[in-house]
Amino acid sequence: MAVSVAVAVGSAADGLVEAPERKAREVKVGPGNAPGTEMRPLVTKAAQERVENAVTTAVTQGATGVVDGRGLKIDGHEDGFFTGPSLLDHVTTAMDAYQQELFGPVLAIIRVDTLDQAIDLIDANPYGNGTALFTASGEAARRFQRAVKVGMIGINVPVPVPMSYYSLGGWKDSLIGDSAVHGPDGIRFYTRPKVVTTRWPQPAQQHTAAGFDFPTSS
């Protein structure tokens, strides 16, 4: 899992942009067998083009390109499908960078004024796999985790994938079928229960089993 959209609430927006901007510029992109490589190339040329075209389209649609990872060249690996991290600010829900799951190093930042607007934005999305809230407010955390229609929630945890004994899976269009993969749902999926209902209408008789007598009454 990886966060693809960050929702900045109120005055937190500018500071939220500064931190990933700094980190994105520090990421070392290169071949997987090179010492110090932190991010490798994308899997195909089509994947590279999809990611970089999404960044181009977002800027055309009005987003601010804070960090531009397009057109990255690595010496000695000119044929690799490399693209650097891209950071987009002032993204809206109407933009392709928000609506499409890019599977690439692009973070889109949407700005809203209040926590309620952030919750409404999340709930309006047709997918509901994972989300996280970063806050120092317990009251905000409670409101968020109760209101968002998402299957996996992190509070100050960036990748909210539960442990194996909890169900792993999203809500809405992020779940296929009627049960999750891990946790109790997974156990139920691979278990075939047997239910036996018994009744003994006849009076009990004296029985002997393995040398023990079982009287009819005590």
Side-chain angles (χ1 to χ4, degrees), residues 174-193:
S174 291
L175 176 65
I176 298 176
D178 61 355
S179 62
V181 179
H182 293 160
D185 283 354
I187 294 174
R188 283 191 291 268
F189 181 83
Y190 288 105
T191 301
R192 183 170 64 178

Side-chain angles (χ1 to χ4, degrees), residues 202-208 213-217:
Q202 299 299 324
Q205 302 296 323
Q206 183 90 8
H207 294 286
T208 302
D213 288 339
F214 297 90
T216 58
S217 62

Side-chain angles (χ1 to χ4, degrees), residues 25-191:
R25 297 186 188 282
E26 294 174 351
V27 172
K28 182 177 180 180
V29 183
N33 59 354
T37 294
E38 297 174 296
M39 191 173 74
R40 291 176 283 183
L42 296 178
V43 64
T44 63
K45 182 66 175 178
Q48 180 191 39
E49 291 176 348
R50 182 182 66 250
V51 170
E52 296 193 349
N53 288 342
V55 175
T56 301
T57 302
V59 174
T60 301
Q61 292 174 329
T64 302
V66 181
V67 179
D68 188 350
R70 295 172 293 177
L72 180 66
K73 301 297 182 182
I74 305 297
D75 292 340
H77 299 275
E78 287 74 14
D79 294 332
F81 310 128
F82 294 97
T83 187
S86 292
L87 178 62
L88 301 172
D89 193 9
H90 301 287
V91 174
T92 70
T93 58
M95 295 180 182
D96 294 346
Y98 174 80
Q99 296 183 358
Q100 299 177 3
E101 191 170 12
L102 300 178
F103 292 101
V106 180
L107 178 64
I109 296 180
I110 295 179
R111 298 186 180 220
V112 297
D113 294 327
T114 66
L115 177 61
D116 288 335
Q117 290 178 347
I119 292 172
D120 290 342
L121 186 149
I122 294 171
D123 288 348
N125 193 290
Y127 299 99
N129 193 22
T131 186
L133 174 72
F134 292 87
T135 181
S137 169
E139 187 271 341
R142 286 190 298 271
R143 287 173 54 200
F144 183 82
Q145 65 193 33
R146 291 173 179 173
V148 291
K149 297 180 177 66
V150 178
M152 296 182 290
I153 301 171
I155 303 298
N156 297 320
V157 175
V159 183
V161 177
M163 301 297 292
S164 59
Y165 40 79
Y166 294 116
S167 295
L168 168 62
W171 287 13
K172 299 184 283 189
D173 290 348
S174 291
L175 176 65
I176 298 176
D178 61 355
S179 62
V181 179
H182 293 160
D185 283 354
I187 294 174
R188 283 191 291 268
F189 181 83
Y190 288 105
T191 301

Side-chain angles (χ1 to χ4, degrees), residues 6-20:
V7 182
V9 179
S11 60
D14 291 337
L16 182 64
V17 173
E18 292 173 0

